[in-house]
Amino acid sequence: IEPSAIMYKSTSLFVIFLSLFVVSEAVFEDQVGKFDWRQQYVGKTLFAHFDSHSQTSKKLFLATDKNIFASFNSRTGDLFWRHVDKAGPEGAIDILLLHGQDALMVVGDGRLLRSWDTNMGGLNWEAVLDTGSFQAACFVAIQDTVKHLAVLKNAAISLHYLTNGHQKWVENLPDRDTVQYQAVYSGGEEEIYVLGVVPNSHLTIIAYSLEDGEIIKQRSVEAPWLSSVESSCVVVGQGMLMCVDPGTLALYTLPIQAEETPQFSQTLLQSLDLEVSPGFQPVLVSSQPHPARSPISEFFLQLGPHHHVLLQLNGDGYTIAPLRDFQPAFLVSFATTGEKTVAAVMTPKNETACAINLFSADSGRRLLDTTVIFPLDLNGGKPHKLYVHAFLKKDDSVGYRVLVQTQDHALTFIQQPGTHTDTGTYTQTLEQLFGHNDHRYVWRKKGEACKPKNTIPTVKHGGGSIMLWGCFLFGIDSKSGSILWKHYLENVQPNAVFKLIVQRTTAHFPHPPQCTLLIKDKDTGLASLHVFNPIFGRKSHIALPVLPRPILQSLLLPVIDQDYAKVLLLVDDQYKVTAFPSTKNVLQQLQEMASSIFFYLVRSDQGNLSGFRLRKDLSTERIWEVVLPTDVQKIVAVNGKRPNEHVHSQGRVMGDRSVLYKYLNPNLLAVVTESTDTHPERAFVGMFLVDGVTGRIIHEAVQRKARGPVHFVHSENWVVVSSSCCSCSSCSSCSCCSSSNSSCCSCCSRSNSSCCSRSNSSCCSRSNSSCCSRSNSSCCSRSNSMGLPSGAILSLPKMFLDPRRPEVVTEHSREENLIPYAPEMPIRTEWFINYNQTVLRVKGIYTAPSGLESTCLVVAYGLDIYQTRVYPSKQFDVLKDDYDYVLISSVLFALFFATMISKRLAQVKLLNRAWR
Amino acid sequence: MASVPRSFLLLSIIPTILLLCADFACCNTGRKTGDGLDTDFSGFSVPLEHSFEVDDVSRFRVRGALQLRGGRETSVSLSQSQLSEEDRNTLKEVAVVDGLYKIRVPRVSLTDRQTERQMDGYLTAFVRACSLVESHLSDVITLHTDVSGYLIGVSIVTIPGACRGTEVEDEVDLEAFNTTLTIIAPTNAPQPETALFIERMDIEHEKRGKPQEQKSFFAKYWMYIVPLVLFLMMSGAQDQSGGGAANGGGR
């Protein structure tokens, strides 16, 4: 008894010791930002305003499609503050208006009206608006002071005080079933005009009294050519409505206030010597510098993609005179300072640059010394929108600053004077990554893979990562987060899906590393390949295979050609296989091993999983089929194992000295389904483990009363599934499955003895995404990374998800290092690997092994990008930060010299003794 | 010694073959005969088909009939015929070229027979023909159902599973299938186990709680207080005696 008792004691001590290890995972204060970086983004800019409150202000205000209201430093592009609202249409920003220090915002399709203090970013007030979908809003001024905001909805118009958001009056709109009310206009008078249209019939103008919301006058004007006020009409000059009709190619003008004019007056474009590009819908641009005054009488008419004309409405209100023709001109914009209104025009200069010039709005003359050069990045997309802020210089001339939004949703701030006082692109081009709602970007991190093998250890965490958004491919330094290169992909459909494949790493010098991007159009299924060097982003000039048929599946084989590139197989909709690269050598190898190449296809719309085998002539035969009826459950996710995954250890010694072997099937697929029945009592989440070669269902489990969104991690011999349970809204449950199998034979003929154990714990928080840590040879324990909605990234040690955790602690389980089962998963703040750096709206987490065994690189992406390292088993192979090199080396030297001296002394002593 | 059970097996198979012939007739006339019996869950039968061809083009033939019984307890049984001489030879040939032996069953629902939804398609599985031959036709067929009783998958493995290249000489070995048949429904994943945990916590609390019942301050810390007091008393006494001695010396 005695020795075992001692052993028991020592093991329990060991457990405590280990648990201490697990717990003490945190960074020191001076390590903040040393191993990690975070980039905060805002999305695609919808509204942008300069802070015109003071001349020297450096603030910029943006509202984006990601429901974010943010303020930037215009000189550096740094984020002052940002407010992230609810995702989806509930938090969508309908309009952003700036008045003095206040920013007014209508949110959620007319649900809320908010006023922000632009200095601090604090909320002044918030008012709940009546129901109805938002149409338009404008400031209303009385006697040169802006006091109210008019909000037009499809059924009502309301007037709100700017000081506190209280509603002054609200009026229902007449005939709202037939008339589409689309615009509201106030020119500083006592009336507000609401413009509505019955498409292709007539225009309705209603004037409301500012005081009490009474309808002063109402009239309708024949306009059979008009379909939308919003897209084809602007207000110009002294309350003249100016519309353009692409059908008759004419401009129509109508005084809004005057009652005596019963109809529009028509001016044919031809009479002005103007011609619209074929197929182009002409666009009008006007400017109202101050809400208390009427808009300026000059306006732009866009006649073609690169053709703008500056026009002026004469004092009589009917004759239109062209002031200046701008062709070619990419973008135009008005800006006002004091009494002067200028027009900024961006014209192409040469292949790589654009010039921006200022023109006087009332004469169309070019202002001297106002040229600014905007360099065009061929890989960055074309300029998309121009925001101009004009100001008066000391000598009373007009100076200006420009904000250029390009197609990649990057913002560039250019300041006059000077040719290009560029101040860095806003949030470095990348903010747009998250500009689109669908996750169309792919992440691939290559820690060591992209670095030459013989790099010194200090840069082992280096390497690049590639990310993709829309048509742009980025290479990002994983050490600092800076963009190394970017590439514009041509001819990519907006709904394309991507897959990134590493065909060759840097290990094969002098062959450059090679990545292949598979781009597939979601509608047609047609695919194309983009092959590039991941280090420099250069497109490689390899002959690409012709892919005339839709591609269903891609498969990266471990087979390499004579250039050390792994072979990629593409399966088309006739189940024919195309190999890339398809040299003779590769085809020969494929023929030899054809009978051992299997692949699977999943059709989630039909609930169908099927397996195929490759034939020697590169055709295929269907060999198995599993069908999950779609009226019961639908497949939401299928996840195989990573081809390069290494396994921790094959077996595990149990408390009774027997060995539990892991069921390590490299072909295992985890299939997760959700029930079509969403009733809380009957909903379920199904989990299937299917062998991808034989189609055998190895395990089949159902989590009752659970529903998605489901996130799961499949690695080694376990699957962690997190779903939310129906009874408690914010509860995730994690089941873990580990199976053991003692027989190991070929994959086609496994015997039937696998056993699964499961356990379930509830976590207090829903997870957004999850991923598990990986290391080079998997000697370390694993931990699961989960993104929480609060913005934290939780690194949950695998130990806490072990399905073999005992309910009652026994000696055996203690010896095995199993912690006792607890139904609730603890969330400790030390486990937040991003400490206080909130990462919002995490959509996915990607992990990659690094060159060091102990270290795993983690990237969380979503709205922000966050990269850090995790050490699931502590840094056993890294010297401490505060390791004292000086002391160690001085001691070494001292010892060395001491040895030398004592040797000499000993020699002398020996000599002396010999003489004696 | 081995021939005795084999001949016994043969004997027992002959009636099943006869039975099967009748069964096939049922199958051919469709499921309608089965439908009439559905109300009392007396089961129904679906064909189990197999295919093994040298050129690997699937040509499915009937191998046997699966008797499925739905309801509260699903059960399944299989009646199958022997392989014909021709089939045996084909199977051997397929095994030599490392072809596949495939089986398939139609997609059916075990429970919901009334609605008789037309489920098109089959569930297919395969095993290497050589392993089937080397295992002397002993195989394990597993049918998987989903929560509502639909068949979603079928799998076949042979025992032993591997192809070792041993020649099967005896023709008798390849005549009759030795099939183990199981049907597996999804298991329920566990819910968070709170009851046991709370119980355990309670026990631990009790263990800890009992000895620490309302002890007064003195009762808890008497072991510190008493020595302290004693020490103070002693030192005080020493002081006095020491002082006395000094005074004595002065005199």
Side-chain angles (χ1 to χ4, degrees):
Chain A
I1 294 164
E2 198 64 5
S4 81
I6 290 165
M7 205 167 108
Y8 162 67
K9 221 171 191 176
S10 67
T11 47
S12 68
L13 263 175
F14 188 62
V15 169
I16 294 165
F17 186 60
L18 260 184
S19 61
L20 279 176
F21 251 127
V22 173
V23 167
S24 60
E25 227 184 279
V27 285
F28 293 104
E29 202 176 342
D30 59 342
Q31 284 181 325
V32 168
K34 195 172 174 192
F35 308 117
D36 54 58
W37 49 263
R38 176 180 64 159
Q39 290 174 345
Q40 290 185 307
Y41 297 110
V42 293
K44 176 190 167 188
T45 308
L46 298 180
F47 307 98
H49 288 281
F50 289 90
D51 186 10
S52 48
H53 191 243
S54 70
Q55 188 86 357
T56 53
S57 174
K58 293 176 183 172
K59 283 202 186 90
L60 263 175
F61 306 105
L62 303 180
T64 68
D65 69 336
K66 287 276 151 188
N67 310 345
I68 290 165
F69 176 45
S71 171
F72 282 93
N73 184 338
S74 61
R75 305 300 194 276
T76 60
D78 292 338
L79 196 66
F80 281 130
W81 46 258
R82 68 169 186 183
H83 294 284
V84 182
D85 206 343
K86 282 176 196 156
E90 221 180 328
I93 297 168
D94 298 320
I95 196 165
L96 173 72
L97 296 167
L98 207 65
H99 173 249
Q101 293 250 22
D102 298 338
L104 275 295
M105 203 156 92
V106 181
V107 178
D109 199 19
R111 195 169 55 90
L112 292 170
L113 177 65
R114 284 186 183 142
S115 167
W116 300 92
D117 175 43
T118 54
N119 252 351
M120 307 295 295
L123 185 70
N124 290 334
W125 48 260
E126 179 180 85
V128 180
L129 300 179
D130 292 342
T131 51
S133 96
F134 175 80
Q135 297 295 330
C138 77
F139 285 122
V140 179
I142 318 171
Q143 286 136 22
D144 269 13
T145 50
V146 181
K147 280 187 176 164
H148 302 104
L149 180 79
V151 178
L152 179 72
K153 295 200 168 191
N154 58 358
I157 177 167
S158 56
L159 202 68
H160 297 265
Y161 291 100
L162 287 185
T163 46
N164 52 17
H166 290 177
Q167 188 175 291
K168 188 173 183 185
W169 50 260
V170 61
E171 287 298 323
N172 283 329
L173 297 165
D175 304 327
R176 55 180 179 269
D177 299 332
T178 51
V179 184
Q180 295 172 11
Y181 292 96
Q182 288 176 334
V184 58
Y185 164 72
S186 157
E189 301 92 352
E190 293 287 301
E191 290 139 16
I192 305 171
Y193 296 91
V194 173
L195 306 177
V197 64
V198 179
N200 305 319
S201 170
H202 62 268
L203 177 83
T204 304
I205 302 174
I206 306 170
Y208 283 95
S209 156
L210 202 58
E211 274 309 303
D212 49 4
E214 208 178 311
I215 294 179
I216 298 172
K217 50 198 173 190
Q218 182 179 356
R219 63 180 173 131
S220 60
V221 183
E222 284 288 309
W225 42 269
L226 184 66
S227 58
S228 164
V229 177
E230 217 175 359
S231 62
S232 54
C233 294
V234 290
V235 181
V236 173
Q238 302 291 325
M240 296 294 284
L241 188 68
M242 175 75 65
C243 298
V244 62
D245 174 34
T248 54
L249 294 175
L251 289 171
Y252 291 89
T253 45
L254 178 81
I256 293 176
Q257 287 105 327
E259 252 176 284
E260 58 271 21
T261 2
Q263 60 184 25
F264 282 96
S265 67
Q266 191 192 40
T267 312
L268 285 176
L269 290 179
Q270 216 171 1
S271 67
L272 300 169
D273 284 339
L274 300 175
E275 202 178 327
V276 179
S277 308
F280 187 79
Q281 171 105 21
V283 181
L284 287 166
V285 180
S286 76
S287 164
Q288 184 176 13
H290 195 268
R293 262 156 267 150
S294 50
I296 56 167
S297 50
E298 289 80 21
F299 59 96
F300 273 111
L301 175 63
Q302 190 179 1
L303 296 165
H306 295 155
H307 186 194
H308 295 79
V309 183
L310 182 65
L311 299 166
Q312 187 176 39
L313 185 72
N314 288 345
D316 59 5
Y318 296 103
T319 50
I320 298 164
L323 286 180
R324 196 174 177 126
D325 197 353
F326 297 103
Q327 190 180 23
F330 289 148
L331 299 166
V332 292
S333 178
F334 282 112
T336 306
T337 172
E339 292 302 313
K340 282 185 187 166
T341 300
V342 290
V345 180
M346 182 187 258
T347 49
K349 194 174 158 75
N350 52 35
E351 282 287 295
T352 56
C354 285
I356 302 169
N357 281 299
L358 277 197
F359 295 86
S360 158
D362 42 9
S363 64
R365 257 183 297 117
R366 198 169 84 86
L367 301 181
L368 292 174
D369 296 333
T370 55
T371 309
V372 162
I373 306 295
F374 175 71
L376 270 184
D377 186 353
L378 292 177
N379 286 326
K382 284 184 184 140
H384 177 66
K385 215 167 176 182
L386 200 62
Y387 302 94
V388 182
H389 177 224
F391 55 88
L392 283 179
K393 286 193 255 183
K394 279 184 186 124
D395 57 351
D396 214 30
S397 62
V398 182
Y400 69 115
R401 306 181 180 113
V402 197
L403 191 64
V404 185
Q405 185 181 357
T406 40
Q407 265 176 341
D408 56 351
H409 302 179
L411 295 170
T412 310
F413 183 78
I414 304 167
Q415 193 173 5
Q416 243 257 318
T419 42
H420 182 208
T421 328
D422 177 83
T423 49
T425 48
Y426 270 119
T427 61
Q428 306 146 21
T429 347
L430 259 187
E431 68 193 10
Q432 80 302 330
L433 284 183
F434 311 103
H436 273 256
N437 286 330
D438 40 12
H439 5 162
R440 272 198 268 112
Y441 38 86
V442 177
W443 271 88
R444 187 56 61 113
K445 278 200 56 46
K446 297 185 305 315
E448 181 68 344
C450 275
K451 277 273 158 190
K453 276 286 173 206
N454 52 358
T455 46
I456 45 171
T458 48
V459 294
K460 272 210 170 159
H461 296 298
S465 63
I466 298 161
M467 74 180 309
L468 186 79
W469 165 84
C471 321
F472 294 95
L473 192 65
F474 292 91
I476 299 174
D477 187 357
S478 68
K479 203 172 185 187
S480 62
S482 59
I483 295 174
L484 301 173
W485 52 264
K486 66 177 173 178
H487 184 83
Y488 175 68
L489 299 169
E490 284 167 38
N491 303 328
V492 173
Q493 300 300 316
N495 59 348
V497 284
F498 300 96
K499 189 173 180 183
L500 192 57
I501 301 135
V502 183
Q503 283 196 295
R504 184 169 53 215
T505 63
T506 46
H508 306 286
F509 190 78
H511 298 288
Q514 180 180 330
C515 280
T516 302
L517 185 69
L518 180 65
I519 307 158
K520 182 179 158 183
D521 191 322
K522 221 173 182 179
D523 292 336
T524 60
L526 290 174
S528 60
L529 293 175
H530 173 72
V531 185
F532 61 97
N533 178 342
I535 303 289
F536 304 108
R538 274 196 299 266
K539 191 176 177 177
S540 70
H541 301 283
I542 292 181
L544 295 175
V546 188
L547 304 167
R549 303 213 56 87
I551 297 297
L552 299 179
Q553 172 76 291
S554 68
L555 190 70
L556 188 70
L557 296 183
V559 179
I560 52 172
D561 69 348
Q562 65 267 45
D563 291 340
Y564 304 101
K566 282 182 186 166
V567 175
L568 179 70
L569 292 188
L570 300 165
V571 185
D572 66 19
D573 66 339
Q574 289 181 335
Y575 310 115
K576 286 261 183 342
V577 172
T578 313
F580 171 72
S582 56
T583 56
K584 204 177 250 179
N585 178 5
V586 168
L587 293 177
Q588 198 183 340
Q589 286 189 60
L590 277 181
Q591 265 180 9
E592 276 166 24
M593 54 189 300
S595 63
S596 61
I597 296 174
F598 298 83
F599 60 90
Y600 68 92
L601 292 178
V602 181
R603 299 211 128 160
S604 56
D605 53 331
Q606 297 163 9
N608 186 317
L609 288 105
S610 45
F612 294 82
R613 182 164 85 152
L614 194 68
R615 287 202 185 125
K616 284 196 167 39
D617 58 347
L618 294 188
S619 66
T620 57
E621 62 170 322
R622 187 186 295 245
I623 46 172
W624 59 265
E625 201 166 5
V626 167
V627 187
L628 302 167
T630 43
D631 49 348
V632 180
Q633 53 194 335
K634 56 178 193 294
I635 299 172
V636 289
V638 179
N639 201 344
K641 277 187 194 154
R642 293 204 187 183
N644 57 353
E645 187 182 71
H646 297 270
V647 173
H648 192 10
S649 67
Q650 298 244 317
R652 179 174 182 156
V653 182
M654 315 271 285
D656 58 358
R657 297 289 172 274
S658 64
V659 179
L660 177 75
Y661 287 99
K662 292 175 179 176
Y663 179 76
L664 296 167
N665 184 349
N667 306 312
L668 197 66
L669 305 175
V671 181
V672 172
T673 62
E674 268 182 58
S675 63
T676 45
D677 193 350
T678 49
H679 186 273
E681 282 298 310
R682 294 189 296 270
F684 64 87
V685 169
M687 286 158 260
F688 299 86
L689 299 180
V690 182
D691 187 316
V693 170
T694 63
R696 277 185 53 206
I697 298 176
I698 292 179
H699 186 65
E700 191 183 351
V702 166
Q703 182 82 54
R704 303 257 175 203
K705 296 180 191 174
R707 58 161 186 258
V710 183
H711 302 284
F712 72 111
V713 177
H714 178 200
S715 176
E716 289 192 356
N717 64 330
W718 49 268
V719 179
V720 175
V721 179
S722 111
S723 59
S724 52
C725 83
C726 292
S727 50
C728 36
S729 61
S730 68
C731 158
S732 306
S733 56
C734 313
S735 330
C736 189
C737 181
S738 89
S739 23
S740 64
N741 190 346
S742 50
S743 72
C744 76
C745 16
S746 83
C747 59
C748 280
S749 55
R750 264 180 215 284
S751 310
N752 232 354
S753 62
S754 66
C755 73
C756 280
S757 51
R758 293 168 304 272
S759 84
N760 192 323
S761 301
S762 58
C763 327
C764 305
S765 181
R766 197 187 288 266
S767 75
N768 277 350
S769 54
S770 48
C771 198
C772 83
S773 67
R774 288 151 218 279
S775 62
N776 249 1
S777 48
S778 281
C779 298
C780 314
S781 54
R782 301 278 177 128
S783 73
N784 280 309
S785 302
M786 296 164 127
L788 304 184
S790 63
I793 299 167
L794 182 76
S795 171
L796 189 64
K798 165 79 191 348
M799 192 193 257
F800 286 86
L801 293 165
D802 199 323
R804 296 181 57 254
R805 283 170 297 158
E807 258 138 33
V808 180
V809 185
T810 60
E811 206 172 305
H812 283 325
S813 66
R814 222 176 253 130
E815 210 170 313
E816 277 181 58
N817 250 332
L818 295 174
I819 55 161
Y821 175 81
E824 196 186 11
M825 192 65 67
I827 291 184
R828 299 191 188 147
T829 42
E830 312 96 84
W831 290 347
F832 291 160
I833 50 173
N834 56 342
Y835 42 101
N836 63 354
Q837 308 223 46
T838 320
V839 184
L840 288 171
R841 294 197 201 152
V842 176
K843 268 187 182 161
I845 298 175
Y846 191 89
T847 55
S850 73
L852 287 173
E853 179 56 39
S854 66
T855 313
C856 169
L857 303 177
V858 179
V859 173
Y861 57 93
L863 181 63
D864 303 336
I865 308 177
Y866 181 76
Q867 201 244 299
T868 188
R869 310 168 188 179
V870 288
Y871 317 98
S873 302
K874 298 296 287 177
Q875 290 171 279
F876 57 83
D877 51 2
V878 180
L879 286 178
K880 280 239 176 70
D881 270 353
D882 50 359
Y883 187 77
D884 201 338
Y885 293 93
V886 178
L887 184 74
I888 291 288
S889 44
S890 58
V891 166
L892 247 165
F893 275 115
L895 282 173
F896 178 73
F897 284 119
T899 324
M900 300 294 284
I901 291 162
S902 55
K903 194 178 168 192
R904 175 88 195 126
L905 287 176
Q907 272 177 347
V908 169
K909 199 177 174 187
L910 274 177
L911 194 67
N912 284 342
R913 191 180 291 163
W915 275 109
R916 212 175 279 156
Chain B
M1 202 174 122
S3 68
V4 177
R6 205 169 285 153
S7 59
F8 176 72
L9 201 83
L10 228 139
L11 278 173
S12 65
I13 277 165
I14 292 165
T16 44
I17 296 167
L18 292 174
L19 264 174
L20 264 177
C21 293
D23 251 332
F24 290 158
C26 290
C27 282
N28 290 342
T29 50
R31 289 178 202 154
K32 290 212 169 87
T33 45
D35 281 350
L37 303 168
D38 262 343
T39 42
D40 53 354
F41 293 118
S42 64
F44 55 98
S45 104
V46 290
L48 171 70
E49 294 167 298
H50 61 177
S51 153
F52 41 96
E53 300 294 335
V54 182
D55 56 357
D56 264 349
V57 178
S58 303
R59 275 184 288 275
F60 282 98
R61 298 179 296 274
V62 174
R63 168 176 157 179
L66 286 165
Q67 283 288 335
L68 297 165
R69 200 180 298 272
R72 205 153 292 161
E73 294 168 16
T74 51
S75 68
V76 62
S77 58
L78 175 68
S79 46
Q80 52 193 347
S81 53
Q82 281 185 323
L83 281 181
S84 67
E85 178 80 42
E86 192 189 336
D87 284 349
R88 283 200 296 267
N89 289 335
T90 327
L91 188 61
K92 275 188 168 176
E93 282 169 31
V94 173
V96 169
V97 297
D98 195 15
L100 301 182
Y101 172 83
K102 297 184 211 167
I103 57 164
R104 73 173 187 189
V105 288
R107 291 175 59 203
V108 285
S109 167
L110 295 186
T111 51
D112 196 17
R113 293 290 294 166
Q114 269 83 5
T115 50
E116 187 59 45
R117 200 172 289 110
Q118 189 57 46
M119 306 261 276
D120 50 336
Y122 290 88
L123 305 167
T124 327
F126 76 99
V127 72
R128 284 166 75 190
C130 57
S131 70
L132 189 71
V133 170
E134 282 175 34
S135 67
H136 306 277
L137 300 190
S138 26
D139 54 357
V140 180
I141 295 177
T142 314
L143 299 169
H144 295 270
T145 65
D146 70 353
V147 272
S148 53
Y150 286 114
L151 278 190
I152 58 164
V154 59
S155 70
I156 177 168
V157 277
T158 57
I159 299 173
C163 285
R164 293 202 173 77
T166 48
E167 277 288 312
V168 179
E169 293 295 337
D170 204 344
E171 281 288 311
V172 188
D173 283 344
L174 290 180
E175 269 177 0
F177 286 101
N178 172 20
T179 306
T180 318
L181 193 64
T182 45
I183 187 155
I184 295 178
T187 49
N188 276 336
Q191 299 286 334
E193 190 83 53
T194 42
L196 252 169
F197 181 74
I198 291 170
E199 209 172 283
R200 204 182 73 205
M201 294 290 279
D202 282 346
I203 293 168
E204 270 176 31
H205 265 288
E206 271 170 36
K207 264 188 208 162
R208 248 180 247 158
K210 266 187 186 153
Q212 291 194 340
E213 267 171 31
Q214 305 117 8
K215 274 185 175 175
S216 65
F217 176 78
F218 196 75
K220 264 188 198 165
Y221 302 109
W222 65 269
M223 68 277 262
Y224 304 110
I225 295 164
V226 168
L228 195 80
V229 170
L230 276 175
F231 178 75
L232 282 174
M233 279 166 64
M234 294 288 283
S235 63
Q238 231 170 21
D239 238 21
Q240 273 178 3
S241 62
N247 286 344
R251 255 179 222 164

